[in-house]
Amino acid sequence: VPGFVYLDEGVFKINDTTFFPLMINYKVNFRIVGDEAVLSPAKHYENHKIYESNTKEEINAQLNAHVGLMKELGFNTIRLCLDGINKDDIGLYYPSKGRRFYLKDDTEKLLSGISDALSIIKSYDMKVMLLLKPPFEKETENFTIELLKHFANNNTIFAYDFMNEPLYFDTEKNRKKEDAVKIVTEWREMANTYAPYQLFTIGFSEPIEVFEWDPSMLPVDFIQIHTYNPLRIQSEIWWYNKYCGKPWMIGETSLPADNDSVGYDLQYHFVDDVFQYVIDCGGIGVGWWEFQDHIAPLMNFEANYTGLINTEGTTRTPSGYEIIGTLKPAAYEFAKLTAFDTKSSTTEIN
């Protein structure tokens, strides 16, 4: 189907042209504006204590500035994190200051907010992987079906990520392999039925997930691997390539750097090294976690400093919007990755 990303002999393509996702992970929150659910940059971006924008126009301008900066840095794909769903006595909801948007009651508002954000991303000719809350419960299943139906013909969405890191976020401990296969087969059927033109994936955190969520047995179109530890990343990439039996890409990686405990020079060298590992082992995409540092006292060093932008100084984006934070040297490496030796690989970055 024209404009949609598809797999051909284990490689992503769009309109017969090879597509290599250079993806950045980006967190969002729903905000109440009037009676609308507006999808906003996460509160911790820029000044992590407040939201910088409040009207719909301001929120969209800030989102537009962030996406424009990502595009300028060389990214062609965004993993939009929509899995931040909570639960109370009424049901499942997306939290918002002053309002809770319930999946079962506010479906149209939520889908409208997502649609507006996708339109901004589409204006930069970028693709989106939507990270969803796993539809274990009937309420999330119903919402997921409505979402898949609503965006079935939207070619900005290249893939749906139905679950982030089963090792850490599965609702059941010690799940049997056959149970995981049954669940993912049902999700596969859901995706085929309601979103036949988009791809279906799961993000895996470590090879030891194989004992419950075995990537070689699960009927996904491709897998994403999340690999961070600089001492293990080569062996983990090798293991997935040799044993998963499916096309694969990195969905999340980063070397946290604050230019004190870990120097910024180490972070940008890490970008180069990881990209070469992926190409050499046959990977078909790379994703970075995440857009900006998330400085929170109760979080560990890795969680605080994985961004490509710190929280100091200011940066003027291509749209002329000034954001809080300064680009780390690693941010400039992604636009250079096409110059790497891909050896026998035919993969090109578009």
Side-chain angles (χ1 to χ4, degrees):
V1 179
F4 281 89
V5 177
Y6 61 97
L7 281 163
D8 181 19
E9 297 183 352
V11 176
F12 293 124
K13 289 190 174 181
I14 306 173
N15 301 332
D16 296 325
T17 301
T18 301
F19 173 68
F20 189 101
L22 281 180
M23 185 170 75
I24 187 163
N25 285 265
Y26 188 74
K27 304 195 78 172
V28 287
N29 300 142
F30 280 101
R31 308 276 302 284
I32 177 69
V33 180
D35 197 37
E36 293 185 77
V38 179
L39 203 60
S40 161
K43 184 178 182 180
H44 70 262
Y45 292 148
E46 302 198 46
N47 182 341
H48 66 277
K49 296 180 180 179
I50 63 168
Y51 285 112
E52 291 78 24
S53 52
N54 292 293
T55 68
K56 183 176 181 178
E57 292 73 22
E58 290 172 345
I59 292 169
N60 286 341
Q62 185 184 19
L63 179 60
N64 183 78
H66 289 182
V67 175
L69 181 59
M70 297 174 202
K71 178 73 173 182
E72 183 182 52
L73 293 173
F75 293 98
N76 58 22
T77 304
I78 298 172
R79 184 169 178 247
L80 205 59
C81 301
L82 291 173
D83 56 335
I85 293 174
N86 297 335
K87 186 175 185 179
D88 63 13
D89 293 339
I90 299 174
L92 294 160
Y93 66 91
Y94 281 102
S96 176
K97 185 178 179 180
R99 169 74 184 270
R100 293 179 176 181
F101 290 106
Y102 289 93
L103 303 191
K104 61 184 179 182
D105 298 326
D106 297 306
T107 304
E108 291 304 316
K109 289 184 176 68
L110 293 167
L111 296 181
S112 178
I114 297 168
S115 182
D116 288 345
L118 291 175
S119 294
I120 290 172
I121 296 168
K122 181 181 178 66
S123 71
Y124 288 95
D125 193 28
M126 297 177 73
K127 297 297 184 181
V128 168
M129 179 187 291
L130 278 187
L131 171 60
L132 307 178
K133 184 79 168 180
F136 287 122
E137 301 182 52
K138 193 63 179 176
E139 200 170 332
T140 38
E141 178 184 333
N142 291 340
F143 178 76
T144 300
I145 288 172
E146 291 305 310
L147 185 147
L148 297 177
K149 289 163 58 177
H150 188 87
F151 295 112
N153 295 310
N154 190 320
N155 62 20
T156 298
I157 300 172
F158 101 89
Y160 288 102
D161 182 350
F162 267 53
M163 188 170 190
N164 185 61
E165 302 183 354
L167 180 66
Y168 302 117
F169 299 111
D170 190 1
T171 55
E172 181 178 319
K173 293 183 178 180
N174 302 316
R175 188 181 294 277
K176 294 180 179 180
K177 276 193 179 185
E178 54 264 38
D179 182 25
V181 171
K182 179 177 182 294
I183 290 169
V184 177
T185 299
E186 292 172 354
W187 294 349
R188 163 86 275 170
E189 292 172 356
M190 187 191 308
N192 283 346
T193 301
Y194 300 108
Y197 306 134
Q198 288 127 344
L199 300 174
F200 168 59
T201 187
I202 286 175
F204 294 88
S205 59
E206 293 187 36
I208 59 173
E209 269 166 332
V210 71
F211 297 112
E212 296 175 23
W213 296 76
D214 186 338
S216 69
M217 298 175 64
L218 300 177
V220 294
D221 290 314
F222 67 97
I223 68 167
Q224 327 150 49
I225 66 175
H226 300 173
T227 179
Y228 288 86
N229 190 309
L231 301 180
R232 297 202 315 255
I233 191 165
Q234 292 185 33
S235 59
E236 289 183 354
I237 286 174
W238 179 88
W239 187 91
Y240 280 105
N241 180 63
K242 185 171 178 62
Y243 293 111
C244 76
K246 291 181 175 64
W248 62 273
M249 66 174 286
I250 287 187
E252 294 180 18
T253 192
S254 182
L255 183 72
D258 61 352
N259 212 29
D260 181 12
S261 300
V262 178
Y264 285 163
D265 58 328
L266 295 177
Q267 188 182 52
Y268 77 71
H269 285 308
F270 180 83
V271 172
D272 298 343
D273 291 343
V274 168
F275 183 79
Q276 194 67 67
Y277 300 155
V278 170
I279 292 298
D280 290 347
C281 288
I284 57 174
V286 173
W288 184 267
W289 185 275
E290 63 166 323
F291 177 65
Q292 187 170 17
D293 288 347
H294 182 183
I295 308 303
L298 298 180
M299 289 171 44
N300 60 28
F301 180 83
E302 180 180 76
N304 277 332
Y305 295 104
T306 56
L308 292 176
I309 307 173
N310 62 30
T311 56
E312 302 166 1
T314 60
T315 297
R316 189 166 296 277
T317 71
S319 64
Y321 190 103
E322 189 171 82
I323 68 171
I324 298 170
T326 301
L327 291 166
K328 302 178 185 179
Y332 299 102
E333 289 300 291
F334 291 89
K336 304 174 186 176
L337 295 181
T338 51
F340 274 61
D341 176 15
T342 57
K343 296 188 177 179
S344 60
S345 172
T346 57
T347 298
E348 296 178 358
I349 301 175
N350 295 313

